[in-house]
Amino acid sequence: MQPVMDVAALTAFLLSAFPQVGEEFVVEEVAPMRVRVRLAVTDRHLRPGGTVSGPSMFALADVGIYLAVLAMIGPKALAVTTNCSIDFMRKPAAGRDLICEARLLKLGRVLAVGDAMIRSDGSDEIVARASLTYSIPPK
């Protein structure tokens, strides 16, 4: 199964459907059942101790899987998260963007299940891992 939305289409959708946060996320790559998304880390994403906040990493994982689903099914704004489990494994670097490799493990008619691996730009070490389930709206 090939993606039905590419980088440009996902970027345009994100900016129009979620203008309040759309510019924080950069879609870098789209492939079958996967996307790579960057969070442009700014001071608003940091917490005391010089690290990126957990809510910022959660948002990146959630957006990553959301965009992976949309890449495969098209622009369905009402696809929603029904479950998320996230493990924070290492302290991300405060001065670097975060990269999310989002991969769909199953894409059904009603549910999609995926994994998101997050790392600091320039590092191969995973800082957070999330497993998410999305509900896909009926046609």
Side-chain angles (χ1 to χ4, degrees):
M1 179 181 226
Q2 291 298 313
V4 297
M5 295 179 77
D6 61 9
V7 169
L10 287 173
T11 300
F13 176 82
L14 194 56
L15 291 171
S16 67
F18 300 99
Q20 63 276 29
V21 296
E23 291 183 356
E24 293 184 16
F25 302 98
V26 178
V27 183
E28 294 189 334
E29 184 180 320
V30 176
M33 303 288 278
R34 64 181 61 230
V35 299
R36 184 174 64 231
V37 182
R38 174 182 298 264
L39 172 64
V41 174
T42 64
D43 286 345
R44 67 180 248 133
H45 300 107
L46 303 181
R47 68 169 187 82
T51 188
V52 179
S53 72
S56 295
M57 288 187 276
F58 174 88
L60 177 58
D62 194 34
V63 167
I65 296 297
Y66 180 65
L67 292 175
V69 170
L70 296 187
M72 299 307 295
I73 68 170
K76 309 230 188 240
L78 296 180
V80 295
T81 309
T82 60
N83 187 56
C84 178
S85 174
I86 189 165
D87 297 306
F88 301 105
M89 300 162 56
R90 294 182 176 78
K91 179 178 173 181
R96 295 188 196 160
D97 290 350
L98 291 180
I99 309 295
C100 175
E101 299 280 348
R103 172 179 64 133
L104 296 179
L105 304 172
K106 179 184 185 236
L107 180 60
R109 285 183 305 104
V110 178
L111 294 176
V113 178
D115 278 338
M117 301 292 181
I118 299 173
R119 60 182 173 76
S120 294
D121 191 23
S123 174
D124 290 332
E125 291 188 327
I126 302 297
V127 298
R129 182 202 65 81
S131 176
L132 292 98
T133 303
Y134 258 80
S135 176
I136 299 170
K139 293 182 181 185

